[in-house]
Amino acid sequence: MHPAVARLVELMPPHPGAGDAVDWDRAAEQWGGALPADYREFIDHYGAGSVNNLFHLALPLAGAAEPLGPLTFARLVEDAYYLLEPAQDGEPAANLGGRIPWALDICGCQAFWENSDPDPERWTVLVLDRHGVWTPYPCGMADFVLGSLQRRLEPALMALPLDDHPPVFRTWREIDRHRRAGTDPWAGGCPSTCS
Protein backbone atom coordinates (compact mmCIF):
# COMPACT_ATOMS: atom_id res chain seq x y z
CA MET A 1 0.00 0.00 0.00
CA HIS A 2 1.18 3.53 -0.75
CA PRO A 3 2.64 4.99 2.49
CA ALA A 4 0.38 8.07 2.43
CA VAL A 5 -2.74 5.93 1.89
CA ALA A 6 -1.66 3.68 4.79
CA ARG A 7 -1.22 6.78 7.01
CA LEU A 8 -4.62 8.12 5.93
CA VAL A 9 -6.23 4.80 6.90
CA GLU A 10 -4.68 5.18 10.39
CA LEU A 11 -5.62 8.85 10.72
CA MET A 12 -9.09 8.60 9.19
CA PRO A 13 -10.29 4.96 9.28
CA PRO A 14 -12.77 4.10 6.51
CA HIS A 15 -16.22 3.19 7.80
CA PRO A 16 -17.62 -0.32 7.20
CA GLY A 17 -18.75 -0.73 3.61
CA ALA A 18 -16.48 2.05 2.32
CA GLY A 19 -14.70 1.71 -1.01
CA ASP A 20 -15.93 1.73 -4.58
CA ALA A 21 -15.34 -0.92 -7.22
CA VAL A 22 -14.06 0.81 -10.37
CA ASP A 23 -13.32 -0.70 -13.76
CA TRP A 24 -9.81 0.77 -13.87
CA ASP A 25 -9.22 -0.38 -17.47
CA ARG A 26 -12.33 1.46 -18.62
CA ALA A 27 -11.30 4.51 -16.58
CA ALA A 28 -7.88 4.43 -18.29
CA GLU A 29 -9.57 4.34 -21.71
CA GLN A 30 -11.82 7.28 -20.83
CA TRP A 31 -9.08 9.46 -19.30
CA GLY A 32 -6.21 8.69 -21.67
CA GLY A 33 -4.19 6.29 -19.52
CA ALA A 34 -3.85 4.69 -16.11
CA LEU A 35 -4.63 6.80 -13.08
CA PRO A 36 -2.09 7.02 -10.22
CA ALA A 37 -1.83 3.99 -7.92
CA ASP A 38 -2.31 6.06 -4.74
CA TYR A 39 -5.65 7.34 -6.05
CA ARG A 40 -6.76 3.82 -7.04
CA GLU A 41 -5.82 2.54 -3.56
CA PHE A 42 -7.67 5.42 -1.92
CA ILE A 43 -10.83 4.66 -3.90
CA ASP A 44 -10.50 0.94 -3.13
CA HIS A 45 -10.36 1.74 0.62
CA TYR A 46 -12.61 4.79 0.86
CA GLY A 47 -14.53 5.27 -2.37
CA ALA A 48 -15.96 8.57 -3.53
CA GLY A 49 -17.28 10.77 -0.78
CA SER A 50 -16.40 13.57 1.56
CA VAL A 51 -14.01 14.46 4.38
CA ASN A 52 -15.96 16.36 7.06
CA ASN A 53 -18.39 17.54 4.38
CA LEU A 54 -15.67 19.95 3.20
CA PHE A 55 -13.50 18.06 0.71
CA HIS A 56 -15.23 15.84 -1.87
CA LEU A 57 -13.42 13.12 -3.80
CA ALA A 58 -14.68 11.93 -7.16
CA LEU A 59 -14.84 8.74 -9.21
CA PRO A 60 -13.46 8.58 -12.75
CA LEU A 61 -16.62 6.97 -14.16
CA ALA A 62 -20.34 7.50 -13.72
CA GLY A 63 -22.44 4.49 -13.01
CA ALA A 64 -24.62 4.88 -9.95
CA ALA A 65 -28.33 5.02 -10.65
CA GLU A 66 -29.07 6.77 -7.35
CA PRO A 67 -30.23 10.39 -7.67
CA LEU A 68 -27.49 11.53 -5.31
CA GLY A 69 -24.78 9.41 -6.88
CA PRO A 70 -21.06 10.04 -6.51
CA LEU A 71 -19.22 13.08 -7.73
CA THR A 72 -17.45 12.24 -11.01
CA PHE A 73 -14.47 13.57 -12.92
CA ALA A 74 -16.81 14.59 -15.77
CA ARG A 75 -18.86 16.74 -13.40
CA LEU A 76 -15.67 18.35 -12.09
CA VAL A 77 -14.58 19.17 -15.65
CA GLU A 78 -17.93 20.94 -16.20
CA ASP A 79 -17.50 22.86 -12.94
CA ALA A 80 -13.91 23.83 -13.83
CA TYR A 81 -14.99 25.34 -17.13
CA TYR A 82 -17.55 27.36 -15.21
CA LEU A 83 -14.67 28.74 -13.09
CA LEU A 84 -12.76 29.54 -16.26
CA GLU A 85 -15.41 31.66 -17.92
CA PRO A 86 -13.93 34.20 -20.36
CA ALA A 87 -12.45 37.32 -18.85
CA GLN A 88 -13.99 40.68 -19.70
CA ASP A 89 -11.85 41.06 -22.82
CA GLY A 90 -13.30 37.80 -24.20
CA GLU A 91 -10.11 35.77 -23.74
CA PRO A 92 -10.31 32.62 -21.62
CA ALA A 93 -9.12 33.21 -18.05
CA ALA A 94 -7.24 29.90 -18.31
CA ASN A 95 -7.79 26.42 -19.68
CA LEU A 96 -7.65 22.89 -18.34
CA GLY A 97 -4.83 21.85 -20.65
CA GLY A 98 -5.85 18.19 -20.48
CA ARG A 99 -5.45 18.09 -16.71
CA ILE A 100 -7.70 15.69 -14.80
CA PRO A 101 -9.73 16.86 -11.77
CA TRP A 102 -10.23 14.49 -8.85
CA ALA A 103 -11.63 16.55 -5.94
CA LEU A 104 -13.63 19.64 -5.07
CA ASP A 105 -13.91 21.54 -1.81
CA ILE A 106 -16.80 23.40 -0.22
CA CYS A 107 -15.36 26.73 -1.44
CA GLY A 108 -15.29 25.69 -5.11
CA CYS A 109 -11.54 25.03 -5.36
CA GLN A 110 -10.62 21.92 -7.36
CA ALA A 111 -7.69 19.52 -7.17
CA PHE A 112 -6.28 18.31 -10.49
CA TRP A 113 -3.40 16.16 -11.62
CA GLU A 114 -0.68 17.81 -13.66
CA ASN A 115 -0.56 14.87 -16.06
CA SER A 116 1.98 15.97 -18.66
CA ASP A 117 4.38 13.20 -17.56
CA PRO A 118 3.55 9.87 -19.28
CA ASP A 119 4.10 8.08 -15.95
CA PRO A 120 1.05 8.65 -13.71
CA GLU A 121 3.16 7.86 -10.64
CA ARG A 122 4.96 11.17 -11.24
CA TRP A 123 1.82 13.27 -11.60
CA THR A 124 1.62 16.15 -9.17
CA VAL A 125 -1.32 18.17 -7.86
CA LEU A 126 -2.55 21.52 -9.12
CA VAL A 127 -5.31 23.42 -7.36
CA LEU A 128 -7.63 25.64 -9.36
CA ASP A 129 -9.11 28.21 -6.99
CA ARG A 130 -12.53 29.77 -7.35
CA HIS A 131 -10.93 32.80 -9.06
CA GLY A 132 -9.42 30.69 -11.87
CA VAL A 133 -5.84 30.75 -10.52
CA TRP A 134 -3.69 27.58 -10.61
CA THR A 135 -1.35 26.68 -7.72
CA PRO A 136 1.07 23.71 -8.05
CA TYR A 137 1.97 21.25 -5.28
CA PRO A 138 5.00 18.95 -5.72
CA CYS A 139 3.23 15.79 -4.51
CA GLY A 140 0.71 13.18 -5.54
CA MET A 141 -2.94 12.85 -4.54
CA ALA A 142 -2.57 10.86 -1.29
CA ASP A 143 0.35 12.98 -0.08
CA PHE A 144 -1.69 16.11 -0.87
CA VAL A 145 -4.67 14.91 1.19
CA LEU A 146 -2.45 13.71 4.04
CA GLY A 147 -0.30 16.86 4.00
CA SER A 148 -3.43 19.00 4.05
CA LEU A 149 -4.91 17.11 6.98
CA GLN A 150 -1.63 17.40 8.85
CA ARG A 151 -1.35 21.12 8.01
CA ARG A 152 1.94 20.67 6.18
CA LEU A 153 1.02 22.15 2.78
CA GLU A 154 1.43 25.80 1.90
CA PRO A 155 -0.48 27.59 0.67
CA ALA A 156 -3.48 25.84 2.24
CA LEU A 157 -5.98 26.73 -0.48
CA MET A 158 -8.57 24.00 -0.14
CA ALA A 159 -11.00 23.47 2.75
CA LEU A 160 -8.45 21.28 4.49
CA PRO A 161 -7.03 21.31 7.18
CA LEU A 162 -10.13 20.79 9.21
CA ASP A 163 -9.63 23.12 12.18
CA ASP A 164 -9.44 21.09 15.39
CA HIS A 165 -11.98 18.47 14.34
CA PRO A 166 -10.69 14.99 13.53
CA PRO A 167 -11.08 14.02 9.90
CA VAL A 168 -14.05 11.77 9.15
CA PHE A 169 -14.70 10.26 5.73
CA ARG A 170 -18.19 9.33 4.55
CA THR A 171 -18.87 7.64 1.22
CA TRP A 172 -21.52 9.07 -1.05
CA ARG A 173 -23.62 5.97 -0.26
CA GLU A 174 -23.38 6.58 3.50
CA ILE A 175 -24.27 10.26 3.07
CA ASP A 176 -27.26 9.30 0.90
CA ARG A 177 -28.36 6.64 3.42
CA HIS A 178 -28.38 9.25 6.22
CA ARG A 179 -30.25 11.79 4.11
CA ARG A 180 -32.93 9.24 3.21
CA ALA A 181 -33.29 8.39 6.90
CA GLY A 182 -33.54 12.07 7.82
CA THR A 183 -30.36 11.98 9.90
CA ASP A 184 -27.22 14.09 9.73
CA PRO A 185 -24.24 12.15 8.37
CA TRP A 186 -21.96 14.72 10.00
CA ALA A 187 -23.52 14.77 13.49
CA GLY A 188 -20.80 15.48 16.01
CA GLY A 189 -18.68 17.35 13.49
CA CYS A 190 -18.38 21.07 13.02
CA PRO A 191 -17.45 21.80 9.40
CA SER A 192 -15.58 24.97 8.59
CA THR A 193 -16.64 27.53 6.04
CA CYS A 194 -14.72 29.28 3.28
CA SER A 195 -12.64 32.27 4.14
Side-chain angles (χ1 to χ4, degrees):
M1 182 184 298
H2 187 281
V5 175
R7 183 66 187 108
L8 283 167
V9 168
E10 292 173 10
L11 180 68
M12 182 177 65
H15 61 73
D20 277 304
V22 173
D23 181 338
W24 294 113
D25 292 333
R26 193 169 137 240
E29 288 173 16
Q30 182 166 337
W31 294 99
L35 297 173
D38 61 340
Y39 170 78
R40 295 190 317 258
E41 288 178 8
F42 183 95
I43 293 299
D44 289 344
H45 282 86
Y46 290 95
S50 180
V51 179
N52 286 32
N53 202 28
L54 298 173
F55 187 74
H56 313 284
L57 290 107
L59 290 178
L61 303 169
E66 290 86 349
L68 295 175
L71 182 63
T72 63
F73 289 6
R75 170 64 191 276
L76 289 176
V77 167
E78 290 174 21
D79 291 349
Y81 277 115
Y82 177 78
L83 287 175
L84 300 174
E85 284 292 308
Q88 290 181 355
D89 61 4
E91 291 298 314
N95 66 58
L96 298 183
R99 298 170 180 127
I100 301 172
W102 53 269
L104 169 74
D105 77 358
I106 194 171
C107 302
C109 296
Q110 290 190 20
F112 284 74
W113 284 296
E114 169 51 69
N115 61 343
S116 57
D117 193 303
D119 180 357
E121 302 316 310
R122 292 198 295 256
W123 291 359
T124 56
V125 174
L126 285 167
V127 172
L128 176 63
D129 75 17
R130 61 187 179 272
H131 306 293
V133 176
W134 294 97
T135 302
Y137 292 86
C139 60
M141 171 268 176
D143 284 311
F144 178 84
V145 174
L146 181 60
S148 295
L149 290 174
Q150 295 177 332
R151 301 178 179 147
R152 290 187 288 111
L153 291 186
E154 291 294 331
L157 288 178
M158 303 194 81
L160 290 166
L162 303 168
D163 300 327
D164 294 323
H165 301 283
V168 174
F169 185 87
R170 299 275 185 262
T171 66
W172 63 275
R173 287 181 307 283
E174 182 72 2
I175 293 167
D176 188 47
R177 183 184 69 75
H178 275 278
R179 287 183 179 149
R180 289 174 190 260
T183 58
D184 180 3
W186 305 104
C190 184
S192 300
T193 58
C194 298
S195 54

